[in-house]
Amino acid sequence: MASEKAAYAALAGRHILLGITGSIAAYKAAMLCRLWRTAGAEVQVVMTPLAKQFITPLTMATLSKNPILVEFFNPENGAWNSHVSLGEWADCYVIAPATANTLAKMATGVADNLLLTTYLSARCPVVVAPAMDLDMYAHEATQQNLHTLARRGVRIVEPGTGELASGLSGKGRMAEPEEIAAFVNELLDGGRKTLAGKRLIVTAGATIEAIDPVRFISNHSSGKMGYAIAGELAARGAEVTLISGRTALPVPPGVKRVDVLSADEMYEATVGAFDTADGAVMCAAVADYTPENVSQTKIKKGDGEMYIRLRRTRDIAAELGARKGNRLLVGFALETDDEEAHAQSKLEKKNFDFIVLNSLRDAGAGFRGDTNKVTLIDRAGSEELPLMSKREVAARIVDRIEGLLTR
Ligand code: C5P
């Protein structure tokens, strides 16, 4: 018992909502619940109607020390089981076992039981531990659903390979309770305020360079990567100033946003804030050129060609690099050819501690999408990460920042 407490130290006092669906692996949910309770977590259990056929509510109520929730309301007295307050209560929602059916419903937003409505309203991290037959797991439909969920930030504890309830052997066995408990422990440990007291600047989005009151020069950057990084830094307790070009993205909780339009405005805001910061993450796609003269009135079209003379903008990252001292500076490079060499040269030229390389040649990387595939490069070498959601990429980048700022 003492060893379980130590192994899952981040779980003490945390609220875990356990969702159980109709799978033979539901028996492992009992063990999972016991592990969490021993580690000092509070556990509530929501079950699908079918799950009751696999493990009794009495078992789960006894282990979790809370009544089990299955229906939208209590048929005896009409009391409403609020999925919204369940979602708000939880620090983490873990659906284990998660059947192919429930994963498909989650991926498409079906809300026909309490477990699913709670998923749709939960704002906490959501973890699924799939459990099914090997062919169901390997089926393109299931894999696509898992991909969709991962892209939306749902964490997946991969099933293991071995003997299945069907008698067949292959991949589909739900991960063991100890593995799921450790996964959740790590996830919630990341929720601790490891960057408390650190001040960080993040630049994000595209700049807009006016030609006249109507037209401008800009680029395709959506700002999603920078917003995800700002959110992750703030979630770990950092004081974050997000210097943002125009986007429709919501400001992540706890982040202070400063809106700018042009590269010049971004320069002023960023350089001004750097003096009192511990570091900056340069995620913005800043225009390299801006019109030399901005017409005060709308330029009228003529018959012939027209030329706009552009002047160079100032390089914000290079400026911070020159005055950085022992502050942290992280850069981005979006390349289309000879990627690593270009990123290496930017690392040196702008004095970054590390640089995040995106190649437009990689499927799923770059603008607008919710996924990214990046390589992290510093002076010691490079680490190529697989395709992940931008949220996960942000977590990996912030892991590095945390390592550098807290060593
Ligand atoms: O040289 P390049 O624009 O490719 O460098 C990309 C990196 O430099 C990014 O981190 C970007 O945010 C930053 N940058 C900047 N100011 C500029 C141009 C780029 O901060 N004017």
Side-chain angles (χ1 to χ4, degrees):
M1 198 156 139
S3 69
E4 273 162 15
K5 263 207 161 110
Y8 311 122
L11 300 183
R14 306 308 282 269
H15 292 176
I16 304 178
L17 181 62
L18 172 60
I20 307 178
T21 69
S23 153
I24 295 288
Y27 75 91
K28 292 188 190 172
M31 185 63 187
L32 188 55
C33 181
R34 203 192 66 82
L35 283 175
W36 284 334
R37 289 283 318 167
T38 311
E42 278 190 53
V43 183
Q44 290 209 68
V45 179
V46 54
M47 295 169 85
T48 60
L50 191 63
K52 290 196 293 182
Q53 309 290 326
F54 290 89
I55 188 157
T56 69
L58 180 61
T59 305
M60 294 314 302
T62 310
L63 288 171
S64 69
K65 302 201 171 13
N66 273 311
I68 300 310
L69 302 154
V70 180
E71 307 296 341
F72 290 114
F73 59 89
N74 181 335
E76 311 250 288
N77 58 15
W80 184 245
N81 291 328
S82 166
H83 54 94
V84 176
S85 29
L86 265 181
E88 276 172 0
W89 172 86
D91 291 316
C92 187
Y93 185 15
V94 183
I95 301 172
T99 57
N101 180 45
T102 289
L103 293 170
K105 287 179 173 181
M106 287 169 73
T108 49
V110 174
D112 64 356
N113 63 42
L114 187 63
L115 182 144
L116 290 164
T117 48
T118 305
Y119 162 64
L120 288 176
S121 47
R123 292 206 203 117
C124 60
V126 177
V127 177
V128 293
M132 66 200 76
D133 202 46
L134 76 160
D135 294 314
M136 287 174 87
Y137 183 71
H139 197 284
E140 198 185 329
T142 305
Q143 287 303 313
Q144 263 181 17
N145 290 332
L146 284 167
H147 188 78
T148 302
L149 292 174
R151 198 161 42 73
R152 291 188 198 137
V154 171
R155 270 78 163 191
I156 297 161
V157 190
E158 292 259 320
T161 303
E163 197 188 321
L164 300 163
S166 60
L168 298 170
S169 185
K171 190 165 179 178
R173 273 169 75 99
M174 185 174 91
E176 295 308 315
E178 291 77 8
E179 194 190 329
I180 300 171
F183 187 96
V184 175
N185 185 68
E186 211 181 302
L187 187 68
L188 292 182
D189 210 16
R192 303 238 176 246
K193 306 295 180 202
T194 42
L195 287 173
K198 302 288 178 197
R199 282 192 186 162
L200 287 147
I201 301 168
V202 180
T203 67
T207 61
I208 288 185
E209 309 301 323
I211 297 169
D212 68 12
V214 183
R215 290 91 166 202
F216 58 81
I217 300 171
S218 192
N219 60 68
H220 291 300
S221 169
S222 64
K224 283 182 181 169
M225 196 61 244
Y227 273 60
I229 291 172
E232 184 67 29
L233 288 167
R236 297 194 199 183
E239 196 182 307
V240 184
T241 304
L242 174 62
I243 301 175
S244 171
R246 189 191 286 165
T247 94
L249 298 171
V251 187
V255 168
K256 176 179 150 215
R257 184 171 78 182
V258 177
D259 290 318
V260 294
L261 276 182
S262 65
D264 280 347
E265 282 178 31
M266 189 172 271
Y267 180 97
E268 297 300 338
T270 311
V271 172
F274 194 56
D275 277 350
T276 53
D278 295 292
V281 185
M282 312 305 288
C283 212
V286 187
D288 294 322
Y289 294 90
T290 191
E292 197 169 54
N293 297 303
V294 182
S295 171
Q296 297 308 306
T297 52
K298 187 180 170 193
I299 301 170
K300 296 275 174 274
K301 61 174 159 298
D303 289 336
E305 290 168 354
M306 83 162 293
Y307 298 91
I308 300 171
R309 198 176 165 83
L310 303 175
R311 67 165 167 82
R312 276 297 309 264
T313 56
R314 290 172 289 180
D315 192 314
I316 309 166
E319 178 61 37
L320 300 194
R323 54 168 83 190
K324 119 184 215 304
N326 52 14
R327 276 166 290 189
L328 176 86
L329 194 59
V330 180
F332 273 73
L334 177 70
E335 305 293 340
T336 54
D337 61 290
D338 211 2
E339 291 90 341
E340 288 236 16
H342 280 124
Q344 282 284 358
S345 106
K346 281 174 196 173
L347 179 78
E348 294 306 331
K349 223 162 96 193
K350 307 196 189 199
N351 201 12
F352 291 137
D353 290 273
F354 69 91
I355 190 161
V356 183
L357 166 65
N358 296 270
S359 169
L360 268 195
R361 282 200 279 194
D362 285 319
F367 305 122
R368 297 200 184 277
D370 291 316
T371 56
N372 209 356
K373 188 169 182 314
V374 303
T375 304
L376 308 181
I377 303 172
D378 64 12
R379 285 166 187 82
S382 65
E383 182 191 2
E384 194 179 339
L385 302 181
L387 182 69
M388 304 179 187
S389 69
K390 284 188 174 165
R391 229 152 106 179
E392 277 175 285
V393 174
R396 298 291 288 268
I397 292 169
V398 174
D399 283 346
R400 271 209 184 200
I401 293 175
E402 197 180 295
L404 291 166
L405 280 180
T406 56
R407 81 186 150 184

